[in-house]
Amino acid sequence: MLSYLLISYFKKYEFGSRNDVLYSFSMLPPIIWYKVLVFLYKKRPDNISVIDMLVLATNYRLKEFSIFGGMTYGD
């Protein structure tokens, strides 16, 4: 339900336009990030803020479902 509320908010106001909203958004669980950002990326694939946060959310998802605890850089 929270995902739908955030999606409707970001349909009205562009994602990344307010830093205080991004700060609050980053405190949510990564599964919420992922659901909202995938939807927003489909609507606006040129928004750099969406792409940046989607990469982070995807990394969290990989760590969550990996038996090795996710990939680490440099290994």
Side-chain angles (χ1 to χ4, degrees):
M1 182 137 175
L2 182 58
S3 297
Y4 293 114
L5 180 65
L6 289 168
I7 287 169
S8 66
Y9 175 82
F10 290 126
K11 280 183 180 178
K12 188 173 180 180
Y13 303 103
E14 183 177 1
F15 187 85
S17 61
R18 294 187 53 191
N19 286 335
D20 57 336
V21 174
L22 283 180
Y23 178 74
S24 299
F25 182 78
S26 67
M27 291 185 198
L28 296 171
I31 187 66
I32 302 292
W33 290 15
Y34 188 76
K35 289 180 179 181
V36 171
L37 292 169
V38 164
F39 179 84
L40 293 176
Y41 181 73
K42 289 177 183 176
K43 295 290 184 185
R44 298 183 187 129
D46 58 340
N47 187 325
I48 299 298
S49 297
V50 171
I51 295 168
D52 184 42
M53 292 288 286
L54 186 56
V55 168
L56 291 173
T58 304
N59 191 28
Y60 284 128
R61 297 281 293 168
L62 286 173
K63 286 181 181 179
E64 182 179 0
F65 293 110
S66 174
I67 59 172
F68 300 111
M71 298 179 349
T72 57
Y73 299 103
D75 289 346

